[in-house]
Amino acid sequence: MNKVQRNVNLLAILAYVLVAVALVISEAFAAAILVALLIITIILVKDQENNKSVVPVAGAVTLYFGARLVAVVFDIIVTVIRKFQEWRIEGLQEKLKDYTGDKAVKYAEKLADVTEAYNENTVGEVFDVIFFIVVLGIIALCVLSILPLLAGKDFNKTIVGKIVAPVVMGKEAVKAQDICPNCGKTIKGEFCANCGTKRVQ
């Protein structure tokens, strides 16, 4: 592992810790810091042959913004459902004005049920629990991503690496045996043109 890859691994570890902390404690400035870390990584990895080093940090950014996207989708769904509940309450209130006797009692009971569900916000609580489970899953992915980085192993073999590498490196992602295990450069023949190390079979 060369110096650039070591520095990028440190940035990636920082990025995953930031994702986990941001999702659990506070999100203030997390997005800006993650994007800044990604830009710094891209600047560190100038040559095209070393672009696989961007994958770990890109993975952290992907996890964070994936969690934010899930939160936005859940908020939209809850807002739409609550809006329907409001319309239903308004409709039942209008019907109560038009009816008397048994029908009025029936509509009053429905109105009480819908109003109770609206006030308790059961839908919002269900989505909060689902999002909490999603956050736990993302934190687990952060831990599973940090461990190989600390051990100096190939990040592209991790779950996050397998998801992000094809996006960052293009559809024809560089295979592990095409990367020199010594210097990190792409091997085009049997031996690395940069340091002479034999290709891993």
Side-chain angles (χ1 to χ4, degrees):
M1 182 184 298
N2 61 24
K3 187 178 177 183
V4 170
Q5 287 171 326
R6 214 172 10 257
N7 289 338
V8 170
N9 277 3
L10 290 173
L11 286 172
I13 290 167
L14 176 63
Y16 284 105
V17 170
L18 180 64
V19 169
V21 169
L23 290 174
V24 173
I25 299 170
S26 171
E27 295 177 29
F29 305 112
I33 294 170
L34 281 168
V35 170
L37 286 174
L38 184 60
I39 291 168
I40 291 167
T41 304
I42 291 168
I43 291 168
L44 278 174
V45 184
K46 294 181 206 100
D47 58 31
Q48 190 63 24
E49 292 183 16
N50 215 7
N51 70 347
K52 76 174 188 122
S53 297
V54 178
V55 173
V57 179
V61 173
T62 302
L63 285 177
Y64 178 77
F65 284 107
R68 292 294 96 225
L69 180 64
V70 169
V72 168
V73 169
F74 283 1
D75 285 345
I76 290 170
I77 292 170
V78 169
T79 303
V80 168
I81 290 171
R82 286 186 63 78
K83 191 49 114 174
F84 277 120
Q85 287 175 326
E86 287 175 15
W87 290 338
R88 192 159 177 220
I89 288 169
E90 289 169 9
L92 288 169
Q93 287 171 339
E94 287 298 317
K95 285 185 178 179
L96 266 175
K97 293 176 187 174
D98 298 336
Y99 292 99
T100 57
D102 289 342
K103 282 209 168 197
V105 171
K106 184 174 115 179
Y107 284 125
E109 288 172 357
K110 277 188 183 176
L111 178 61
D113 290 342
V114 175
T115 304
E116 185 181 351
Y118 180 81
N119 291 335
E120 288 179 359
N121 193 16
T122 310
V123 174
E125 289 176 6
V126 168
F127 278 102
D128 285 345
V129 170
I130 295 170
F131 185 68
F132 178 72
I133 293 168
V134 169
V135 167
L136 288 179
I138 289 173
I139 291 170
L141 286 174
C142 288
V143 171
L144 291 173
S145 299
I146 289 172
L147 295 176
L149 290 169
L150 289 172
K153 294 181 181 172
D154 184 12
F155 182 81
N156 292 348
K157 293 180 181 177
T158 65
I159 297 169
V160 177
K162 287 178 183 176
I163 295 168
V164 177
V167 176
V168 173
M169 298 171 67
K171 288 185 181 176
E172 309 222 353
V174 180
K175 295 177 185 171
Q177 66 261 26
D178 293 338
I179 302 296
C180 177
N182 187 39
C183 68
K185 301 285 184 182
T186 303
I187 300 176
K188 297 189 179 175
E190 192 64 28
F191 296 92
C192 176
N194 187 49
C195 69
T197 303
K198 187 173 181 180
R199 174 193 292 272
V200 178
Q201 296 300 329

